[in-house]
């Protein structure tokens, strides 16, 4: 139909126009921090799946609705942006909470954080055996389960936690709840990429039942970046960057044209001083440079013609939402990313690749 048709113009050597993209995995925080970072996302993306890992987490439909109102209130005049809300799954989530979430026009997914896996995951799920009723309600309603796919067992090597999660958590859950729709968020390994490539099936509605989001940092960098010339805190996010062979598998998945792979920046803002300290926070603040970095990654394998599907078409199809009507244009016009930006409480934030020169730049 006209609604899902591509608006992409063939990439010339100097510019690229695609349907307006959405960000299917984003951390916006709250209060002054949110107000500081929201315009960067709204400038590039029409919508975003907003993560619920606030302190305290967003666990009820009422909290999700109130958070949505705060986001809309923080949006600068003249910018249009639609936050797509999520609930944070806990051991205490009831089937009724899930049904009410599925009925809300504003809630689009439920997020599984294994307790202790990442930033603000203390209230996460300790064992999925406690969530049987909630998972059954997700299966029944079709509301997607969005997964931080890492086991937290301290005996499992940090770099293996995603692959072990696929085998020990994701596969058993999908076997027990075959109707469940799932997104493995910010995948970082060949195992996750191949699992989602090979095991996703089309439902009766034609939509994939298993999908994955991919971040710009995992498409562009391997774990060497964490240690290049010294410890590099601004490359530290979770799940952590992996070996080059994994990066290549992720890039192959993102540029495959398969509808189960789509854009999710995982832009995760933390103030500069909280990144540049002993025991610094995990998260890359990629929102100000997101589309530029995805274009760079796709161009590196001559796949710019696949960027629009990944950035603007596959996500809406998975979530059952219309594609956006307008477009975004990128120019081949090298520019240097600011080394820091204003953040909350007089603090600053370092955008991902601050100080580096990028080949692509979004047109104003
Ligand atoms: C995220 C954050 O800071 O909220 N950090 C990150 O490294 N990605 C949490 C998360 O998505 O794991
Ligand atoms: Zn995240």
């Amino acid at each position: 139909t006209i609604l899902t048709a591509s608006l992409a113009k063939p990439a010339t050597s100097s510019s690229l126009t695609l349907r307006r993209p959405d960000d299917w995995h984003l951390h916006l925080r709250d209060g002054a921090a949110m107000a500081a970072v929201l315009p960067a996302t709204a400038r590039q993306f029409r919508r975003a799946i907003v993560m619920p890992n606030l302190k305290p987490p967003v666990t009820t439909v009422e909290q999700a609705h109130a958070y949505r109102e705060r986001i809309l209130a923080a949006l600068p005049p003249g910018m249009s942006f639609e936050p797509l809300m999520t609930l944070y799954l806990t051991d205490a989530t009831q089937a009724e909470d899930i049904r009410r979430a599925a009925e809300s026009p504003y809630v689009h997914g439920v997020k599984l954080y294994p307790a202790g896996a990442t930033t603000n995951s203390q209230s996460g799920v300790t064992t999925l055996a406690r969530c049987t009723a909630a998972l059954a309600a997700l299966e029944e309603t079709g509301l997607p389960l969005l997964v931080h796919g890492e086991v937290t067992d301290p005996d499992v090597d940090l770099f293996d936690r995603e692959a072990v999660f696929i085998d020990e958590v994701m596969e058993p859950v999908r076997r027990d709840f075959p109707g469940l729709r799932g997104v493995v968020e910010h995948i970082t390994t060949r195992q996750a990429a191949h699992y989602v490539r090979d095991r996703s099936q089309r439902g009766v509605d034609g939509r994939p039942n298993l999908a994955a989001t991919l971040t710009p940092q995992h498409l562009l960098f391997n774990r060497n970046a964490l240690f290049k010339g010294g410890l590099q805190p601004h490359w530290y996010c979770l799940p952590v960057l992996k070996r080059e062979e994994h990066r290549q598998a992720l890039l192959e998945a993102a540029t495959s044209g398969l509808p189960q792979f789509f854009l999710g920046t995982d832009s995760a803002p933390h103030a500069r001083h909280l990144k540049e300290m002993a025991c610094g926070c995990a998260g890359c603040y990629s929102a100000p440079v997101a589309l530029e970095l995805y274009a760079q990654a796709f161009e590196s394998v001559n796949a710019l013609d696949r960027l629009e599907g990944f950035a603007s078409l596959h996500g809406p199809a998975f979530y059952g939402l219309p594609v956006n009507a307008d477009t975004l244009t990128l120019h081949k016009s090298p520019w240097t990313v600011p080394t820091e930006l204003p953040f909350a409480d007089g603090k600053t934030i370092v955008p991902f690749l601050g100080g580096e020169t990028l080949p692509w730049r979004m047109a104003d």
Side-chain angles (χ1 to χ4, degrees):
T1 69
I2 186 80
L3 265 183
T4 53
S6 168
L7 289 182
K9 302 208 175 79
T12 64
S13 56
S14 61
S15 86
L16 173 64
T17 294
L18 52 149
R19 226 179 234 288
R20 171 81 49 189
D22 304 296
D23 186 348
W24 301 98
H25 181 119
L26 174 68
H27 300 271
L28 279 179
R29 315 304 187 204
D30 210 344
M34 170 173 72
V37 300
L38 178 61
T41 288
R43 180 171 169 264
Q44 298 205 334
F45 300 102
R46 175 75 181 80
R47 298 170 289 201
I49 287 276
V50 180
M51 287 296 123
N53 62 332
L54 303 182
K55 296 179 214 172
V58 179
T59 56
T60 68
V61 171
E62 289 70 29
Q63 289 168 343
H65 287 183
Y67 184 26
R68 177 176 177 275
E69 291 298 328
R70 295 198 297 281
I71 296 167
L72 292 174
L75 200 61
M79 288 192 117
S80 68
F81 175 72
E82 195 184 337
L84 308 173
M85 309 312 293
T86 58
L87 294 195
Y88 186 114
L89 187 68
T90 73
D91 290 355
T93 305
Q94 306 288 310
E96 187 53 26
D97 299 322
I98 302 293
R99 287 194 203 100
R100 296 196 47 239
E103 279 162 18
S104 162
Y106 303 126
V107 179
H108 296 269
V110 173
K111 180 74 193 248
L112 164 63
Y113 287 105
T118 187
T119 310
N120 300 343
S121 63
Q122 302 87 331
S123 320
V125 170
T126 57
T127 162
L128 269 178
R130 301 227 166 102
C131 297
T132 307
L135 292 169
L138 287 171
E139 183 181 42
E140 168 198 314
T141 58
L143 193 64
L145 179 70
L146 316 181
V147 169
H148 183 107
E150 289 191 290
V151 294
T152 54
D153 180 347
D155 291 337
V156 176
D157 188 282
L158 183 90
F159 291 94
D160 296 335
R161 288 181 184 179
E162 184 174 281
V164 173
F165 182 93
I166 302 281
D167 290 342
E168 293 186 357
V169 183
M170 201 64 199
E171 184 52 23
V173 167
R174 295 183 68 243
R175 203 172 49 226
D176 290 348
F177 302 93
L180 192 70
R181 307 190 71 235
V183 184
V184 190
E185 302 284 354
H186 42 54
I187 59 170
T188 64
T189 57
R190 172 173 40 79
Q191 289 90 336
H194 289 184
Y195 180 73
V196 173
R197 180 192 67 190
D198 298 339
R199 304 300 296 280
S200 180
Q201 291 173 334
R202 301 292 184 98
V204 281
D205 53 6
R207 299 195 266 157
N209 66 349
L210 177 66
T213 54
L214 294 116
T215 78
Q217 65 268 27
H218 293 99
L219 294 178
L220 284 170
F221 297 99
N222 63 40
R223 65 192 195 178
N224 286 353
L226 283 162
F227 308 106
K228 192 177 166 193
L231 192 58
Q232 299 290 343
H234 298 289
W235 269 264
Y236 173 54
C237 67
L238 288 169
V240 76
L241 295 171
K242 303 295 192 297
R243 287 177 181 275
E244 176 63 11
E245 68 186 83
H246 296 291
R247 186 189 75 84
Q248 286 180 15
L250 299 173
L251 195 51
E252 192 179 302
T255 59
S256 64
L258 289 171
Q260 61 265 47
F261 294 111
F262 42 86
L263 184 158
T265 62
D266 194 24
S267 179
H270 294 278
R272 177 171 205 152
H273 69 287
L274 297 177
K275 293 283 293 172
E276 298 176 359
M277 70 185 296
C279 202
C281 296
C284 299
Y285 177 47
S286 59
V289 290
L291 250 295
E292 287 88 346
L293 296 187
Y294 284 112
Q296 190 175 336
F298 275 60
E299 187 179 41
S300 74
V301 288
N302 284 319
L304 280 174
D305 58 328
R306 297 263 167 93
L307 182 60
E308 188 188 45
F310 175 80
S312 316
L313 305 178
H314 301 169
F318 178 85
Y319 280 96
L321 296 169
V323 300
N324 296 320
D326 64 328
T327 61
L328 174 151
T329 297
L330 293 158
H331 293 301
K332 204 53 164 310
S333 165
W335 64 295
T336 301
V337 182
T339 52
E340 65 179 1
L341 295 167
F343 196 51
D345 308 320
K347 304 295 188 190
T348 62
I349 186 164
V350 176
F352 189 55
L353 296 187
E356 303 284 327
T357 298
L358 307 185
W360 289 95
R361 184 168 203 174
M362 185 187 149
D364 284 320

